[in-house]
Amino acid sequence: MMVRSANLNVMMGAARKAGRGMVRDFGEVEKLQVSLKGTSDFVTSADIKAEKVLRQELSKARPGFGFLLEEGGEVAGEDKSHRWIVDPIDGTTNFIHGIPHFAVSIGLERDGEMIAGVVYEPLTDSMFHGEKGQGAFLNDWRLRVSARRKLDEAVLTTGIPHRGRPGHAEFIKELVAVMENTAGVRRFGSASLDLAYVAAGRCDGYWERAIKPWDMAAGIVLVREAGGYVTDFDGKADMLGNGDVVAGNDHLHSKLLTLLKKARA
Ligand code: LIP
């Protein structure tokens, strides 16, 4: 039986509400594509609008909790142990280009530990959600990471660092190592959905460096609750601190870590 806490219901409600505006705005972006001018300004305002809705909904339900927001930064709350970690549109570049792959990501942290996560894809009404000790779900279906054991059968996702991001040369080394040893690599453009896909067993692993806490906070809970592993590149749990993430099913996570380490040596 699925047990959903009041917190999780609040998170899901907020994501749905922000998602409704986002679907309308995405429709506008698709039209704007024709004229090209002003798309990024429009998307920035869509991002800010969605964040405002999320902040309103979450603080209405839990007035004391703090926030870490992609646009608004750190907002201290009276309750020092709880913090929402929020990315209103994860996959902004996709959104700008009219590519239908982006999500609302909301994580809940308690005393430095991620305890609940929601990754909501508004275009398909896909609600990935999970809570510590309660499992991970896509809508009502329980999620389980894939059972593949061999790297040569694995499909992985990653993020390619772009202009202004560090680590281009290291990324190429890692990619070569992974390409040579696996069945395929995908770059979808939304870290939170990459993690949700690992949780759902669609992909067998994921790695990316130098991303932000709001890109990964919710997805971390999903992968763990689906029976997978998420660490930084040293196998430690400081992903939110250093921005580096390696996720995988229980068989492949350590193999992926070893492969990536060798690639950088
Ligand atoms: C994006 C990620 C994406 C990553 C980008 C960026 P945003 O988040 O989810 O997969 O590779 O570098 O951080 O900016 O769309 O919220």
Side-chain angles (χ1 to χ4, degrees):
M1 233 308 264
M2 181 180 6
V3 188
R4 255 183 224 160
S5 73
N7 282 336
L8 202 58
N9 281 325
V10 166
M11 294 159 81
M12 288 165 58
R16 279 216 167 86
K17 186 154 186 189
R20 277 198 286 277
M22 222 175 271
V23 170
R24 280 196 298 273
D25 288 339
F26 186 70
E28 288 302 311
V29 172
E30 285 180 307
K31 282 189 228 150
L32 284 172
Q33 284 305 318
V34 193
S35 74
L36 278 176
K37 252 180 79 195
T39 327
S40 0
D41 283 355
F42 180 81
V43 173
T44 309
S45 78
D47 226 326
I48 291 169
K49 221 165 64 188
E51 187 170 290
K52 197 169 154 209
V53 172
L54 292 167
R55 203 171 152 178
Q56 261 166 7
E57 291 300 303
L58 295 169
S59 32
K60 196 165 72 189
R62 298 287 179 271
F65 289 13
F67 283 92
L68 178 62
L69 301 149
E70 184 182 23
E71 307 296 333
E74 184 89 52
V75 182
E78 257 170 51
D79 176 338
K80 299 291 170 219
S81 30
H82 290 90
R83 182 165 78 146
W84 304 112
I85 304 182
V86 177
D87 191 347
I89 306 179
D90 182 42
T92 320
T93 306
N94 283 344
F95 196 103
I96 292 175
H97 288 257
I99 298 170
H101 187 79
F102 54 87
V104 180
S105 174
I106 310 171
L108 177 59
E109 188 187 54
R110 186 180 61 209
D111 300 322
E113 185 193 12
M114 294 311 308
I115 58 161
V118 157
V119 176
Y120 178 58
E121 214 182 343
L123 291 176
T124 55
D125 194 25
S126 304
M127 182 69 74
F128 294 91
H129 57 97
E131 195 158 20
K132 195 178 171 220
Q134 303 297 338
F137 298 83
L138 165 53
N139 302 324
D140 291 334
W141 304 310
R142 178 123 201 189
L143 298 181
R144 174 78 208 162
V145 290
S146 81
R148 285 190 194 84
R149 288 167 180 266
K150 293 186 188 155
L151 267 181
D152 58 13
E153 290 172 0
V155 168
L156 305 177
T157 62
T158 188
I160 304 174
H162 47 76
R163 193 169 60 89
R165 290 282 177 91
H168 293 199
E170 292 91 330
F171 175 77
I172 294 295
K173 285 191 197 165
E174 288 167 0
L175 183 61
V176 168
V178 175
M179 282 160 70
E180 285 172 349
N181 287 285
T182 60
V185 180
R186 304 285 182 269
R187 199 295 188 233
F188 293 130
S190 162
S192 62
L193 283 169
D194 288 334
L195 288 162
Y197 277 26
V198 172
R202 293 176 180 172
C203 297
D204 308 293
Y206 158 72
W207 87 101
E208 187 164 1
R209 291 158 175 267
I211 61 171
K212 299 291 184 192
W214 45 80
D215 298 320
M216 61 167 110
I220 288 172
V221 182
L222 298 177
V223 173
R224 285 182 178 154
E225 287 302 314
Y229 288 88
V230 199
T231 64
D232 60 20
F233 281 62
D234 294 322
K236 305 214 170 72
D238 192 28
M239 302 80 75
L240 292 177
N242 60 36
D244 299 341
V245 195
V246 181
N249 75 23
D250 35 350
H251 308 294
L252 293 179
H253 175 263
S254 60
K255 290 186 182 167
L256 186 56
L257 271 185
T258 310
L259 190 65
L260 292 168
K261 197 172 206 158
K262 264 213 316 242
R264 275 175 288 148

